[in-house]
Amino acid sequence: MYDATLAETVTIRGDGGDEIEAYLARPMSQGPLGGVVVIHHMPGYDAPTKEIARRFAAEGYNALMPNLYHRDAPAASPDDAAAAARAKGGVPDARLVGDVAGAAAHLRALTSSNGKVGVIGYCSGGRQSFLAAVSLPLDAAVDCYGAFVTAAPPEGMPLKVGPIKHLTKDLSCPLLGLFGADDQYPPHPSRSTSSKRS
């Protein structure tokens, strides 16, 4: 079995046709292969999340992680870029959807693609994975401990997002939600409501 992979920084078209940085990890095989858009957590486009993309490639998927903070702080360290994005209230929902749409289109255009694309996100990226799944034609979605799907952030939190549970009816694909028993967000009682389809 040939198991070589390639990981590199690329430029993709995101929301509004903007050029944004992204991290692409893919097997060096002809395919056909499924694609995964990896949505990073609030701390940003960092080494641990790039490792997640490489792990997907090692498992036989084309994986692409768009840098959601590229416009807020181009070429900044992950910590500085995350701070700049937090100061603006986080990534606007519409921009997130446009960036994920661009990442999905990039994956589908790869010569090794089978045309199927899923999305996975962690923490704030979990909410964004849910948002992508109700906004775009995707084949699968995973929300890993994503907060603020069912409720707004608490007073004083810099994130400026609202609940999106009402969009559940628009899911374009199967959605898997993974949450820890001790996670503060979402609070335990709302997990059961967020897991039921409306």
Side-chain angles (χ1 to χ4, degrees), residues 19-104:
E19 288 190 345
I20 62 168
E21 180 180 343
Y23 188 75
L24 176 65
R26 58 187 175 91
M28 296 298 294
S29 66
Q30 293 181 356
L33 307 170
V36 180
V37 177
V38 177
I39 302 177
H40 61 72
H41 55 165
M42 186 73 138
Y45 180 79
D46 57 9
T49 314
K50 289 178 180 179
E51 178 59 31
I52 292 169
R54 290 191 298 273
R55 178 62 191 203
F56 275 111
E59 294 297 328
Y61 296 91
N62 294 319
L64 184 64
M65 178 178 59
N67 182 353
L68 303 176
Y69 303 156
H70 181 79
R71 295 170 193 84
D72 301 312
S77 72
D79 289 341
D80 290 344
R86 270 193 305 272
K88 294 178 179 178
V91 176
D93 285 350
R95 189 173 90 190
L96 174 278
V97 170
D99 286 352
V100 172

Side-chain angles (χ1 to χ4, degrees), residues 5-175:
T5 60
L6 173 68
E8 60 184 335
T9 300
V10 297
T11 301
I12 66 169
R13 293 277 179 193
D15 186 51
D18 293 347
E19 288 190 345
I20 62 168
E21 180 180 343
Y23 188 75
L24 176 65
R26 58 187 175 91
M28 296 298 294
S29 66
Q30 293 181 356
L33 307 170
V36 180
V37 177
V38 177
I39 302 177
H40 61 72
H41 55 165
M42 186 73 138
Y45 180 79
D46 57 9
T49 314
K50 289 178 180 179
E51 178 59 31
I52 292 169
R54 290 191 298 273
R55 178 62 191 203
F56 275 111
E59 294 297 328
Y61 296 91
N62 294 319
L64 184 64
M65 178 178 59
N67 182 353
L68 303 176
Y69 303 156
H70 181 79
R71 295 170 193 84
D72 301 312
S77 72
D79 289 341
D80 290 344
R86 270 193 305 272
K88 294 178 179 178
V91 176
D93 285 350
R95 189 173 90 190
L96 174 278
V97 170
D99 286 352
V100 172
H106 189 91
L107 286 167
R108 287 186 179 113
L110 294 175
T111 58
S112 61
S113 173
N114 69 6
K116 295 186 180 217
V117 174
V119 63
I120 188 168
Y122 303 85
C123 198
S124 63
R127 178 189 179 276
Q128 293 166 329
S129 180
F130 182 97
L131 180 64
V134 299
S135 304
L136 300 169
L138 297 169
D139 297 288
V142 182
D143 171 352
C144 296
Y145 44 92
F148 315 126
V149 169
T150 60
E155 194 70 34
M157 187 172 262
L159 198 58
K160 293 180 182 152
V161 297
I164 54 176
K165 179 185 169 202
H166 65 284
L167 299 174
T168 303
K169 65 185 179 349
D170 298 327
L171 275 170
S172 65
C173 61
L175 170 71

